[in-house]
Amino acid sequence: MALTGRTALLAALGSLPVGIVAPSWTGMLAVNAPLSLAILCDYALAAPVRSLQFTRSGDTTVRLGDQAEVQLSVVNPSRRRLRAHLRDAWPPSSWLPGTEHTSSRHELTVPPGERRRLSTVLRPTRRGDRKAEQITVRSYGPLGLAARQGNHRVPWTVRVLPPFTSRKHLPSRLARLRELDGRTSLLTRGEGTEFDSLRAYVPGDDVRSIDWRATARQSAVAVRTWRPERDRHVLVVLDTGRTSAGRVGDVPRLDAAMDATLLLTALAARAGDRVDLLAYSRRVRARVQSRAGGEVLAAVVDALTPLEPELVETDARGLVAAALAHAPRRSLIVLLTSLDAAPVEEGLLPVLPQLTQRHTVLLAAVSDPQVAAMAGARGTVDAIYEAAAGAEAEAQRRRTADQLKSYGVVVVDAPPDALAPALADAYLALKAAGRL
């Protein structure tokens, strides 16, 4: 039996000893029999908690930063009116800081045999699956002097997806893609590999392009025109090792890389390219195989959602082997990793030729704008020391990028909010140059 605020007040006034528990009923009866009888009656008249029936409905997915609403239906099958306080518990990361108390606690009254619906609003602060924990119900008697309390478990999962903030850049990149496709078709008409259309022969056309069957059906000579092959292969390799856990501002490097991955996936799928995803640290942690363009983005989002960095050094040799196994023919391999000197020089560079001799490789990394701010600091002795450290860090990063470029790797190095559009621009540039 739970003592309510009224019981505690009466205890403070001397009618009841504070902290009374079940074995103290004898002493309580001796102190104040009428009040004890009232508490017992109030407890007996409180609606039972164990017989309550619960069902859930509502949102099952939400983007990070948005809110989800989950409904909880409560059925009171007993013959007593339910007057209760209810707590719908979820993991702490399901709420903004300081809002858990107001969002998860409810007061409700349910007449006998009726149903009421409560709504719990979640605003998660982390990606991944958020699972409902136990429901705690405290059922009060008519006088509010005593209450019954019990717990129920009603499973429900809300999957918190990556926010995909870079989708605002997609329309402008799609416009550039359409412009690029039009210009490429014009420049390579008659030299591509995928059939486009028939047109009338003009002097200077390659006679090998004449379509004799079409010519036989009409009075003019018809030639076939071609367009560049659209079914290119793009493999995105996401490094989920130790370096991806580093935070740049308030954003982990892995989250910025995920955002860039989503923009590139959406753009490449609209370009007609096949997109695969591979997440790796010391093992394959997520994989998405090629599928129809309209479905690949959803599959990539679902694969990225539960991923968190692993605090281990990435196995570069295993990563390259996994990438080669997933890219049996010439592909664009987009490697989202760090530009830190030690992991690149000791891990990636020795095995990089295995990728570059067969594939086009694009490496994208998240830079820290705070380093650039340090490099430009002046005015005090401490600021000058910071400037020296920042300048050295930038120089080392440039040397690492130059080493990668010497192997033919295209390097994109940008802060978190600029990485996604910069990677999309690099992809478009490769298409314009005919390297994809």
Side-chain angles (χ1 to χ4, degrees):
M1 181 178 71
L3 296 178
T4 67
R6 298 182 187 180
T7 309
L9 177 60
L10 291 172
L13 293 176
S15 299
L16 282 176
V18 177
I20 192 168
V21 293
S24 303
W25 280 111
T26 304
M28 185 174 67
L29 288 170
V31 173
N32 196 322
L35 181 58
S36 301
L37 182 61
I39 293 174
L40 285 173
C41 292
D42 202 44
Y43 177 79
L45 292 175
V49 174
R50 292 183 180 180
S51 62
L52 296 176
Q53 300 169 4
F54 298 90
T55 56
R56 290 191 187 272
S57 61
D59 297 328
T60 55
T61 59
V62 62
R63 288 199 180 277
L64 184 64
D66 294 340
Q67 68 179 29
E69 191 170 351
V70 179
Q71 286 79 37
L72 178 68
S73 294
V74 185
V75 176
N76 177 19
S78 71
R79 298 181 179 180
R80 303 169 195 161
R81 177 181 291 270
L82 174 68
R83 307 168 183 84
H85 290 168
L86 181 147
R87 180 174 181 261
D88 188 6
W90 291 73
S93 58
S94 302
W95 332 88
L96 292 175
T99 64
E100 188 272 341
H101 184 84
T102 57
S103 301
S104 65
R105 300 174 188 269
H106 308 273
E107 293 186 10
L108 74 159
T109 300
V110 186
E114 294 191 13
R115 177 195 306 265
R116 293 292 183 269
R117 177 175 292 182
L118 306 173
S119 181
T120 300
V121 177
L122 309 178
R123 195 175 181 89
T125 58
R126 292 180 58 187
R127 287 181 294 100
D129 291 336
R130 297 294 168 266
K131 297 184 178 181
E133 298 179 358
Q134 68 181 12
I135 298 169
T136 302
V137 182
R138 179 172 290 181
S139 172
Y140 291 89
L143 301 177
L145 297 177
R148 303 171 185 263
Q149 183 167 305
N151 300 320
H152 293 262
R153 288 195 175 273
V154 186
W156 192 261
T157 300
V158 175
R159 171 155 282 202
V160 186
L161 308 176
F164 195 10
T165 56
S166 63
R167 64 182 179 273
K168 62 186 177 184
H169 300 290
L170 185 59
S172 61
R173 270 59 186 183
L174 288 175
R176 289 176 54 186
L177 178 65
R178 288 190 293 269
E179 178 184 349
L180 178 63
D181 282 347
R183 184 170 67 249
T184 304
S185 296
L186 179 63
L187 292 177
T188 62
R189 183 172 292 277
E191 300 175 0
T193 58
E194 187 174 322
F195 177 74
D196 182 38
S197 61
L198 293 171
R199 62 171 175 80
Y201 174 86
V202 296
D205 283 338
D206 189 342
V207 294
R208 292 174 297 180
S209 298
I210 297 176
D211 189 320
W212 296 108
R213 289 188 178 182
T215 300
R217 294 194 297 267
Q218 58 189 28
S219 58
V221 178
V223 295
R224 293 185 294 269
T225 60
W226 308 86
R227 63 188 176 202
E229 183 183 354
R230 290 173 59 85
D231 187 19
R232 305 295 186 179
H233 184 216
V234 179
L235 173 62
V236 181
V237 182
L238 196 62
D239 180 357
T240 63
R242 173 185 60 81
T243 57
S244 69
R247 301 183 74 87
V248 179
D250 292 332
V251 180
R253 282 188 166 90
L254 180 60
D255 284 34
M258 286 182 178
D259 195 50
T261 298
L262 294 178
L263 181 62
L264 178 62
T265 299
L267 182 61
R270 292 289 293 272
D273 295 335
R274 296 188 302 110
V275 183
D276 287 354
L277 171 72
L278 186 68
Y280 195 93
S281 55
R282 288 186 171 272
R283 57 190 174 88
V284 175
R285 302 188 58 207
R287 179 190 296 114
V288 174
Q289 298 288 348
S290 300
R291 58 187 67 197
E295 299 177 0
V296 66
L297 183 60
V300 169
V301 168
D302 191 59
L304 293 179
T305 294
L307 280 181
E308 295 292 346
E310 287 189 329
L311 300 182
V312 296
E313 199 69 42
T314 299
D315 177 12
R317 191 174 298 276
L319 183 148
V320 169
L324 291 173
H326 283 76
R329 64 185 180 90
R330 184 169 181 80
S331 308
L332 170 64
I333 295 182
V334 180
L335 178 58
L336 289 120
T337 184
S338 75
L339 267 181
D340 295 344
V344 172
E345 294 175 359
E346 298 173 10
L348 184 60
L349 287 181
V351 295
L352 189 59
Q354 300 177 36
L355 287 180
T356 55
Q357 67 183 0
R358 188 190 306 178
H359 306 288
T360 300
V361 180
L362 193 164
L363 186 145
V366 181
S367 64
D368 190 346
Q370 182 61 30
V371 175
M374 289 172 57
R378 297 294 186 274
T380 65
V381 174
D382 290 342
I384 292 174
Y385 277 108
E386 286 187 358
E392 174 60 25
E394 287 186 327
Q396 180 62 67
R397 200 172 182 87
R398 285 193 297 269
R399 287 194 294 269
T400 303
D402 290 340
Q403 285 181 294
L404 291 166
K405 291 175 183 177
S406 69
Y407 285 85
V409 176
V410 178
V411 177
V412 174
D413 187 20
D417 57 347
L419 180 66
L423 180 58
D425 290 342
Y427 165 79
L428 293 172
L430 287 173
K431 290 187 78 70
R435 296 182 60 185
L436 174 59

